Amino acid sequence: NAGVTQTPKFQVLKTGQSMTLQCAQDMNHEYMSWYRQDPGMGLRLIHYSVGAGITDQGEVPNGYNVSRSTTEDFPLRLLSAAPSQTSVYFCASRGQGMSYNSPLHFGNGTRLTVT
Amino acid sequence: SQQGEEDPQALSIQEGENATMNCSYKTSINNLQWYRQNSGRGLVHLILIRSNEREKHSGRLRVTLDTSKKSSSLLITASRAADTASYFCATDGKSNFNKFYFGSGTKLNVKP
């Protein structure tokens, strides 16, 4: 049971380039989400999904796209990278249907630098 | 924003001492959770307390919740060097339990 797997671990992009951060979970969790972590600011929610085909925006969605075609995968796309998107990105999932009393399970993060 | 604040930002103690960190938030919640993050790793869930609970224990962890003051505290008793990490509180939204808001964290250093 691998839990939540994020790839790549590190990535350097030039301004204007696009890329996809991958997230996969093998726990059959319906809920998946993406966060960014910046120094001194905690984690901020970018997008989340409560099931295949359903996505919604979080606190800081601008510049990012998501889709959810399967239960297992929830990729995050940067359409045109900007230096302000330099951050550590975390994917998290949650089980027990949509019960609001279950914890988040996190991946180990992708450290992205945009130059 | 519902994002909470944590206090203190950093805490340095000796092994065996207790560590207390506090979290405040802004709007009504369903539950409040505490997470630990070791350097360079993802967050790991420690404990969840529901809005109708006032205190909860798990091993060396004790969490309190005061919904009238919109605040929570995490107490780690008899700390160990392995407890060195950053600790974050997270709240959901009463009207949308799918959105989580994290505090800025307390960086705990336990000296052996």
Side-chain angles (χ1 to χ4, degrees):
Chain A
N1 208 350
V4 179
T5 303
Q6 290 184 238
T7 55
K9 286 186 169 51
F10 302 94
Q11 183 71 49
V12 178
L13 287 179
K14 288 187 168 42
T15 297
Q17 286 185 317
S18 62
M19 80 157 294
T20 300
L21 280 64
Q22 302 291 347
C23 175
Q25 53 90 10
D26 60 0
M27 298 173 282
N28 203 32
H29 284 172
E30 294 177 4
Y31 177 92
M32 295 184 75
S33 55
W34 278 101
Y35 290 85
R36 59 179 288 172
Q37 184 177 32
D38 301 298
M41 295 191 71
L43 279 75
R44 291 181 293 168
L45 180 64
I46 305 172
H47 285 287
Y48 67 96
S49 167
V50 298
I54 307 169
T55 63
D56 208 343
Q57 295 182 348
E59 275 185 279
V60 289
N62 292 340
Y64 307 96
N65 268 8
V66 292
S67 59
R68 184 97 180 267
S69 54
T70 66
T71 301
E72 295 78 19
D73 300 297
F74 191 43
L76 178 72
R77 295 184 193 83
L78 281 70
L79 305 173
S80 176
S84 60
Q85 293 178 303
T86 293
S87 189
V88 182
Y89 291 84
F90 287 99
C91 179
S93 70
R94 181 176 68 170
Q96 296 180 309
M98 286 181 282
S99 164
Y100 53 76
N101 287 318
S102 54
L104 292 168
H105 298 257
F106 282 85
N108 282 327
T110 294
R111 187 174 293 272
L112 175 69
T113 302
V114 183
T115 61
Chain B
S1 167
Q2 185 167 307
Q3 192 166 21
E5 295 294 325
E6 293 185 56
D7 160 58
Q9 288 188 322
L11 181 59
S12 185
I13 59 174
Q14 293 292 139
E15 212 166 23
E17 293 180 339
N18 295 343
T20 299
M21 47 207 93
N22 305 296
C23 165
S24 61
Y25 58 92
K26 295 178 183 174
T27 63
S28 297
I29 60 173
N30 292 302
N31 64 59
L32 185 143
Q33 306 184 35
W34 285 91
Y35 289 82
R36 184 186 75 229
Q37 183 180 35
N38 290 92
S39 182
R41 307 284 289 181
L43 280 71
V44 174
H45 180 257
L46 295 175
I47 195 165
L48 180 153
I49 186 164
R50 301 180 189 195
S51 60
N52 61 356
E53 296 175 315
R54 292 297 165 257
E55 188 170 312
K56 202 160 181 182
H57 297 253
S58 177
R60 294 184 296 114
L61 305 180
R62 172 178 169 254
V63 168
T64 61
L65 178 64
D66 186 336
T67 52
S68 67
K69 294 182 180 175
K70 292 187 171 59
S71 67
S72 173
S73 67
L74 171 67
L75 168 68
I76 303 174
T77 59
S79 62
R80 305 165 182 167
D83 294 328
T84 294
S86 291
Y87 292 81
F88 295 88
C89 66
T91 56
D92 63 357
K94 188 79 171 174
S95 59
N96 185 347
F97 52 78
N98 289 312
K99 286 188 172 182
F100 290 85
Y101 300 90
F102 283 80
S104 50
T106 292
K107 197 163 188 174
L108 174 65
N109 179 34
V110 182
K111 294 176 279 189

